[in-house]
Structures are given as structure tokens and as C-alpha cells.
């Protein structure tokens, strides 16, 4: 996977030189090791700033909404599914896009690595299977499978679903994974345990909305939490307001969330917000056999009616 | 809602056409009875003084 960069730069250069696109959206090195930033390359001489490694966690589909230019974009499995969401929701047109697919073997959890390393990390290297970090005079090597982000470890769509170019060979999809073990655990709790579980989980939320801002689905011009006429939810970090924000956001993402993990990664307080969106993902799968972002021609379950739709809880 | 700890009997969904007066009555009776049986809500309650 690490070798994709040559191909990515080659394709980006070609697209820009031939003026097939106005810009290429990709990743560049961030200010610290193991951090990348989204970048918008508009000039052929800047393609060298593009990078690719197991730290390209950000979901680039979040930068596509309502753009008018022609855009080249690098897409992992999850990004490509969010691009399909945008196509279905008319946020961008397919003919505006040249999708450079990056078959993905998972992104790594930099916070977990930093915690296990216990030192400031000054240098980072990776091979196909191993991650090595250096700092404070020591170094440590991790097996990549041991430090994958949780959502990547359980990802079942690593290959881009839609693409025009490929940065590397398609990878084998993971099939022997249990995507919903954590959700089933919560479902099995009794009603008070559930309430207390989320009360505790959300107790450190500072309502910074980083989770919302990182999410490619959260593109409303005015989010319901920001509206004041009417004010749907209090602005404080009162536990009721915080909970309202989280579960309503999850409902807004129902049938659309690709479990890309961008929300969780953005959270400064390490709150596992995917426990809300994943529950609705599981329900969509169980009730409608639906997984988001797999087919631009299919309407999502929440905007279609079928006479045999399950009437859960309806009297 | 149940997933996050709200009693299933506090939340009801129904589809009642304007021609279905008797169904409406039945539904309202069921809703009030099941909510009354649970007693006053203790979760998701915000004191009026805290409303900001
Ligand atoms: S969710 Fe899947 S496609 Fe997305 S980064 Fe993780 S492994 Fe790759
Ligand atoms: S809710 Fe989170 S996991 Fe789902 S699409 Fe948005 S950022 Fe990705
Ligand atoms: S990013 Fe984290 S702290 Fe900020 S609003 Fe979301 S869950 Fe709360």
C-alpha cells in the first residue's frame, strides 16, 4: 500500500497537465509525524507535496460538497462510498470527478501507538506490515494489524467502490469479521444500564462539534444544533442537550454512514461516537439489507417506500 | 431510543388516517395507559431553570 504514491503523483500530474481537472484533493504531511492534512493541488509542480501512507485517515469526500470545479480525488474504500452518497444526494456530479482509487489495507490508530510508545514520536516509518516509530533515543516496531483503527479492523469495503484510476492492485476484502459485537453488547443491556452507559460515555463531551465537522455527511448549511429560531437543542453541555445532539446527528446519518471513522478520529476527548451511527447502520442492514454508498443508482432506504417494509414498532 | 436507554413504552408510533376516529381513540388510550404505568419520566428531563 505504501508504494501507491508514485502512481498517485503520476496520475495527478497527468490530470493537471492535460487540464482534465482544476485540482487534485489528496493528503500531505502534517506538522507532526503520523499526521496528514488534506491538500488541494492545483499546479503540476506541486504534486510532489502529495503523500500516501497508513496515516491518511481523513475522509476526503468531506471536501467535495457543492464544488463547481473539475476535481481529481484520492479515494479509499470508505471515501469512495461517501462520494457515492454525494452523487445520490446531488452534492456533486460524477462528470466533475476523476476518482483515483486507493485499495486500502486500513489506517492506523496514531493515538494508540503514541500511548504504547510512551515518548514523543520524532520519526515514523512503515512497510507493508510493520510500523516503526522513533523518539527519545528509542524505537519500537508494531505489527500493522495490531494498531489498526477499530473501524478499519472491521472494514468490509476496503476497495474503492467507484474509481477511474487505481493507485494499486485491488486488495482482498475481509470476510471473517464481526462488525457489530460492540453494538450487540449494548443492545443486551437492560434499560438503565444503557442509559448509564451513554451518560458516562458522553460525560466528557465538550460540544466542540469536531465530529460533525469531520463527517462528509454533515453538510447542512445550518446544522440543527446551531439554529436559534427555533432552538431545537440547548447550547450548553447539559447532559440532555449533549445526548440530544448525538442521537439526532446519528439519525441524520442513518442509512448514509459508511463507518469511515472520521468523526471519532476528530474527537479531542476520544468519545466513541460511532456507537450511535453504527447502531443505525446495523439496523439498516438487518431491516433493509442496506449498506450505504455502494450503488449510485439505488435510493437509500429512508427515502423509498416498499409495501413490504418492516413496520418496526408501528401500531 | 430504546438503544440509548429510554423505555420502549414511552415512545409510540402509529399511522392513523383522518377517517379512522376509533383507531385514534384506541391509540391515545394505549399511549396514555402505558406512559401512566411507567410513572413520571426521570431520564431526559431538564429543569425549567436549566433551559438555556
Ligand atoms: S474504513 Fe476501510 S477503506 Fe476506510 S480507511 Fe479503514 S480500512 Fe480503509
Ligand atoms: S458519521 Fe462518522 S463514520 Fe459515519 S460517515 Fe460520518 S464521519 Fe464517517
Ligand atoms: S468531537 Fe467529541 S467532544 Fe467534540 S462534540 Fe463530538 S463527541 Fe463531543
Amino acid at each position: 500500500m505504501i508504494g501507491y504514491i508514485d502512481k498517485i503523483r503520476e496520475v495527478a500530474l497527468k490530470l493537471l497537465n492535460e487540464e482534465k481537472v482544476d485540482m487534485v484533493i489528496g493528503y500531505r504531511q502534517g506538522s507532526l509525524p503520523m499526521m496528514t492534512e488534506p491538500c488541494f493541488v492545483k499546479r503540476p509542480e506541486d504534486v510532489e507535496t502529495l503523500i500516501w501512507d497508513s496515516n491518511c485517515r481523513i475522509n476526503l469526500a468531506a471536501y467535495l460538497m457543492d464544488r463547481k470545479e473539475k476535481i481529481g480525488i484520492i479515494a479509499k474504500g470508505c471515501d469512495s462510498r461517501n462520494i457515492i452518497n454525494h452523487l445520490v444526494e446531488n452534492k456533486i456530479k460524477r462528470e466533475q470527478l476523476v476518482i483515483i482509487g486507493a485499495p486500502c489495507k486500513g489506517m492506523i490508530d496514531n493515538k494508540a501507538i503514541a500511548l504504547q510508545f510512551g515518548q514523543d514520536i520524532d520519526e515514523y516509518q512503515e512497510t507493508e506490515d510493520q510500523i516503526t516509530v522513533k523518539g527519545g533515543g528509542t524505537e519500537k516496531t508494531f505489527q500493522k494489524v495490531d494498531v489498526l483503527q477499530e473501524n478499519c479492523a472491521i472494514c468490509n469495503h476496503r476497495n474503492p467502490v467507484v474509481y477511474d484510476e487505481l493507485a494499486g492492485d485491488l486488495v482482498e476484502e475481509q470476510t471473517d469479521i464481526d462488525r457489530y459485537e460492540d453494538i450487540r453488547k449494548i443492545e443486551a443491556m437492560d434499560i438503565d444500564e444503557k442509559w448509564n452507559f451513554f451518560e458516562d460515555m458522553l460525560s466528557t463531551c465538550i460540544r466542540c462539534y469536531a465530529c460533525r465537522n469531520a463527517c462528509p455527511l454533515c453538510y447542512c448549511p445550518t446544522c440543527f444544533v446551531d439554529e436559534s429560531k427555533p432552538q431545537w437543542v440547548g447550547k450548553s453541555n447539559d447532559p440532555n442537550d449533549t445526548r440530544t445532539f448525538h442521537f439526532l446527528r446519528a439519525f441524520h446519518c442513518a442509512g448514509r454512514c459508511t463507518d469511515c471513522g472520521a468523526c471519532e478520529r476528530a474527537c479531542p476527548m476520544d468519545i466513541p461516537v460511532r456507537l450511535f451511527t453504527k447502531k443505525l447502520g446495523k439496523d439498516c442492514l438487518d431491516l433493509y439489507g442496506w449498506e450505504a454508498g455502494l450503488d449510485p443508482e439505488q435510493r437509500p432506504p429512508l427515502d423509498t417506500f416498499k409495501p413490504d417494509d418492516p413496520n418496526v414498532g408501528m401500531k | 431510543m430504546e438503544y440509548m436507554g429510554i423505555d420502549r413504552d414511552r415512545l409510540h408510533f402509529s399511522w392513523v388516517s383522518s377517517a379512522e376516529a376509533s383507531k385514534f381513540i384506541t391509540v391515545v388510550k394505549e399511549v396514555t395507559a402505558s406512559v401512566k404505568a411507567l410513572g413520571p419520566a426521570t431520564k431526559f428531563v431538564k429543569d425549567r431553570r436549566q433551559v438555556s
Side-chain angles (χ1 to χ4, degrees), chain A residues 1 5 33 55 64 69 73 100 103 107 111 116 136 139 147 259 269 284 293 305:
Chain A
M1 196 173 89
I5 189 56
N55 295 297
L64 285 183
E69 307 94 322
I73 182 167
I100 308 167
M107 294 294 140
K111 290 182 190 168
Q116 287 183 45
E139 70 170 70
V147 289
D259 206 33
M269 308 305 288
C284 280
F305 170 74

Side-chain angles (χ1 to χ4, degrees), chain A residues 82 215-217 249 257-263 277:
Chain A
N82 281 98
C215 175
L217 307 173
R249 190 181 94 79
C257 172
T258 60
D259 206 33
C260 72
C263 46
T277 47

Side-chain angles (χ1 to χ4, degrees), chain A residues 1 27 52 56-59 75-81 102-108 148-160 173-174 179 258-261 265:
Chain A
M1 196 173 89
Y27 302 91
W52 176 264
C56 295
R57 308 173 187 88
I58 298 163
N59 188 329
K76 311 181 288 291
C78 49
D79 308 49
S80 77
R81 293 173 64 196
C104 179
K105 292 196 179 153
M107 294 294 140
I108 53 173
L148 284 179
Q149 297 189 130
E150 197 259 343
N151 69 305
C152 294
I154 58 162
C155 172
N156 57 346
H157 294 287
R158 292 178 150 187
N159 287 308
E173 293 289 1
Q174 313 191 95
R179 284 190 45 75
T258 60
D259 206 33
C260 72
R265 224 135 51 216

Side-chain angles (χ1 to χ4, degrees), chain A residues 156-221:
Chain A
N156 57 346
H157 294 287
R158 292 178 150 187
N159 287 308
V161 182
V162 55
Y163 54 83
D164 302 299
E165 303 270 354
L166 272 183
D169 296 335
L170 294 177
V171 297
E172 204 180 322
E173 293 289 1
Q174 313 191 95
T175 46
D176 53 345
I177 35 168
D178 178 4
R179 284 190 45 75
Y180 296 113
E181 192 191 353
D182 47 355
I183 305 296
R184 283 197 309 271
K185 251 188 218 153
I186 299 173
E187 285 171 343
M189 294 178 185
D190 76 27
I191 204 83
D192 289 323
E193 277 172 346
K194 285 176 178 154
W195 179 265
N196 294 333
F197 174 83
F198 286 115
E199 204 72 348
D200 184 47
M201 171 182 134
L202 295 176
S203 61
T204 51
C205 174
I206 53 174
R207 294 284 291 280
C208 66
Y209 302 138
C211 47
R212 173 199 68 183
N213 292 1
C215 175
L217 307 173
C218 283
Y219 56 65
C220 294

Side-chain angles (χ1 to χ4, degrees), chain A residues 85-153:
Chain A
N85 273 334
H86 285 333
L87 297 174
V88 171
E89 296 171 8
N90 290 325
K91 296 313 285 178
I92 191 99
K93 293 199 187 71
R94 182 67 179 92
E95 23 331 337
Q96 277 174 272
L97 298 177
V98 178
I99 302 168
I100 308 167
C104 179
K105 292 196 179 153
M107 294 294 140
I108 53 173
D109 184 341
N110 59 325
K111 290 182 190 168
I113 292 175
L115 210 63
Q116 287 183 45
F117 190 54
Q119 309 263 356
D120 282 346
I121 294 170
D122 301 322
E123 251 182 83
Y124 166 86
Q125 276 163 1
E126 74 172 77
T127 63
E128 205 53 36
D129 312 310
Q130 288 184 330
I131 307 293
T132 304
V133 290
K134 292 185 192 162
T138 56
E139 70 170 70
K140 190 165 174 160
T141 298
F142 297 85
Q143 296 302 317
K144 184 171 160 180
V145 286
D146 298 335
V147 289
L148 284 179
Q149 297 189 130
E150 197 259 343
N151 69 305
C152 294

Side-chain angles (χ1 to χ4, degrees), chain A residues 2 13 25 29 47 54 61 63 75 97 116-117 133-134 148 153 168 177 196 201 208 216 232-233 252 261 273 286 305:
Chain A
I2 187 76
L13 188 66
I25 306 184
Q29 181 58 46
V47 297
S54 298
Y63 300 92
L97 298 177
Q116 287 183 45
F117 190 54
V133 290
K134 292 185 192 162
L148 284 179
I177 35 168
N196 294 333
M201 171 182 134
C208 66
W232 305 106
V233 50
H252 290 182
V273 287
D286 293 349
F305 170 74

